[in-house]
Amino acid sequence: MSGPAAPPRRVPAARRAADDPLWLKIVLIAIACGFIGLFLVLPLVVVFTEAFRDGVAAYVRSVREPAAWQAIKLTLITTAIAVPLNLVFGLAASWAITKFEFRGKSVLITLIDLPFAVSPVISGLIYVLLFGMQGWLGPWLSRHNIQIIFAVPGIVLATVFVTFPFVARELIPLMQEQGKDEEQAAISLGAGGWQTFWRVTLPNIKWGLLYGVILCNARAMGEFGAVSVVSGHIRGKTNTIPLHVEILYNEYNVVAAFAMASLLAFLGLVTLAAKSFLEWKVQQQLRETLEPTTMESLS
Amino acid sequence: MSIEVRHVTKTFGTFTALQDVSMKVDDGELVGLLGPSGSGKTTLLRIIAGLEVPDDDGRSAVLFHGEDVARRQAGQRQVGFVFQHYALFKHMTVYENIAFGLRVRPRHQRPPRSEIHRRVTELLRLIQLEAFGQRYPAQLSGGQRQRVALARALAIEPRVLLLDEPFGALDAKVRQGLRNWLRRLHDKLHMTTVLVTHDQEEALAVSDRVVVMNQARIEQEGTPAYVFHNPASEFVMDFLGDVNVFPGRIEHGRAVLSGMTIDVPGLTRHPGGSTKVYVRPHELEVRREPVTEPNLPARVVRINQAGSFAKITLTIEGGSEIQVDLPFERYQEINLQPGETVYVSPRKVRVFGAEYMI
């Protein structure tokens, strides 16, 4: 019974040995699902049920209330300023870091990560110490009637600071991996700096860039800590959505608080969907370029 | 369009890539820049292209047709540069890749669409990829990609063509095919071309002239045949092909090694002392019986018969191994067997000295 007869019997046994037992699979899946349900799905459900507890009319009323409407507008304005700024900063920083050699490069990389390392509250405080009435630049600013702290500029500044790393962090590894060859090829073919950027660099990084912008946008809308320190919580004036949610909640206005919160949660869901769509799109594009047959049928 | 490089030095931090290098490429010539990795050959090529800038010591110059181009940027030098890893634009089709150099020209220099189309089609025919214009680089094989990269470089009608290890990432068979194709192309276009490679066989096969580089300097220049048969230094000797090295001495103008005394013409001026004696594997003769010529007894260890030469490994007195290449007919004639004792005699030996060479 040795030799030839043994292997066929051993193969299924070996396959079974490589697999985990059924009970272990069930336990692991149950733990994962339970955790996600308890900490992610349940809160989301609570946000929306609480928001709609008194019906759709109450929901609409609390969103259309002037202070709430102002908070939404301020959030959108802040995002509309912070995201494009960080798009440009992030692109410039990752371009500099990946395409050039210079002194202090590692310092720059560390500085880009700083907003991630520092607590948002501290970030906000830095701006208060800089621009506040008792701060370094405060007296000069107040003499010239410029208000930054407890006003919209402060909120924008704090948001820009906190969301600074998202685009750069997304682009640096991508651009490092792609190297400089294509840009150098473009330059040797006579393309100028802008042409190289628009025609070669940007198409290569567009999905990564968009992904970074989406993450940056989500954070810009949801930022609480840093904005809370610089805003002064002036109702109907310097409140963003997250700050307004806190105020409403502290006033026991639960339905309105959750209605506002549901807006943020909804934005979060949209972001997630956009992110998944992008990932799917990138995968699909990759597959398309790797399959000669699809292209042949097109041409 | 001739190329001339004068007194170029390039350092990266503490690393010296080029040390006071000067060289000239004549109009229509195909020059192979040959050397091991880190010898500075790619840096030299990139300096010619304008992708690197030489150290500013006031002496360096890069001349195209006698005109200094040091201050001109890469894009204004009209140089066709082909990268080792192709550097094709991934998101563009083959057609768009080739048309790129024409489309990015300033409006008043840009050829009309029909002219661009004509030129791209012509180039696609030249690289034998007419049916592949609408494919993306990822859908091509390595050899096809490199041909596209070449067509893209040729599209701007460059004055010189610079190739940086163009076949380095391809497998042996494809490499050989493309190499021959490149030579035929050069014979047709007569464009001044510099080819960087670390493959001595490639450089010797395609170049009109080779420039051998080592440790940031040029070791030797010359036609492939001249450089191969008259290496100027131990490095060139060793780099251009297999070689056996015997420790020996010089006594009264003759080389003494492992019991042999060999006359070497022109060695009379050598001061004498210990030296290394170089013999190529095909310059050793193997016989069953000792002859009157200087010879060494050796034992056959291994025989590799696959190829036009039989490669025979032998051990000599003292245990070191030597390599002999015998033409296959000769090998069959004497029918060597592993373990046999034979007598090896060199037909040609080379000795290199500090300021002395044969």
Side-chain angles (χ1 to χ4, degrees), chain B residues 27-239:
Chain B
D27 187 28
E29 201 180 21
L30 198 169
V31 166
L33 266 182
L34 179 62
S37 53
S39 60
K41 56 191 190 306
T42 293
T43 307
L44 183 55
L45 192 78
R46 292 170 63 87
I47 283 175
I48 295 174
L51 294 172
E52 299 283 358
V53 182
D55 288 358
D56 189 13
D57 54 6
R59 296 203 303 151
S60 70
V62 178
L63 304 148
F64 283 9
H65 208 71
E67 170 197 3
D68 195 351
V69 293
R71 293 190 176 279
R72 272 198 240 160
Q73 292 193 315
Q76 282 135 29
R77 291 193 190 188
Q78 275 183 282
V79 164
F81 200 95
V82 175
F83 294 81
Q84 179 177 7
H85 298 291
Y86 328 121
L88 293 176
F89 307 127
K90 291 188 280 289
H91 60 285
M92 294 183 202
T93 61
V94 167
Y95 186 98
E96 288 165 345
N97 263 283
I98 297 174
F100 184 88
L102 300 172
R103 286 186 179 160
V104 295
R105 284 192 184 165
R107 195 174 294 276
H108 60 280
Q109 287 172 20
R110 199 183 307 156
R113 282 180 70 100
S114 56
E115 169 62 17
I116 292 179
H117 181 74
R118 194 189 61 76
R119 191 136 6 127
V120 173
T121 316
E122 193 183 320
L123 283 163
L124 281 171
R125 197 179 314 126
L126 183 75
I127 58 168
Q128 292 147 25
L129 289 175
E130 285 147 293
F132 291 67
Q134 294 312 310
R135 293 220 190 169
Y136 285 90
Q139 299 167 312
L140 302 179
S141 71
Q144 291 170 334
R145 280 181 220 179
Q146 198 54 291
R147 268 143 64 197
V148 174
L150 199 63
R152 182 179 69 177
L154 289 173
I156 60 166
E157 295 181 321
R159 305 193 291 176
V160 296
L161 189 59
L162 306 175
L163 308 156
D164 182 14
E165 304 249 5
F167 313 130
L170 305 170
D171 52 52
K173 195 80 188 164
V174 179
R175 194 155 67 199
Q176 200 155 11
L178 262 186
R179 180 210 285 174
N180 297 335
W181 178 78
L182 177 74
R183 182 64 231 192
R184 283 199 302 277
L185 190 75
H186 182 265
D187 291 340
K188 201 157 86 183
L189 302 177
H190 291 297
M191 187 175 292
T192 310
T193 305
V194 182
L195 168 85
V196 160
T197 179
H198 62 263
D199 180 347
Q200 87 283 354
E201 204 192 318
E202 184 169 289
L204 297 177
V206 299
S207 315
D208 294 321
R209 208 153 56 81
V210 289
V211 174
V212 185
M213 294 194 66
N214 183 36
Q215 294 185 341
R217 289 169 201 275
I218 291 176
E219 288 267 337
Q220 192 178 5
E221 306 180 42
T223 62
Y226 182 82
V227 172
F228 185 81
H229 293 294
N230 305 282
S233 64
E234 300 179 13
F235 172 80
V236 177
M237 178 87 197
D238 191 35
F239 193 71

Side-chain angles (χ1 to χ4, degrees), chain A residues 1-11:
Chain A
M1 273 307 284
S2 67
R9 269 197 301 162
R10 226 180 269 153
V11 171

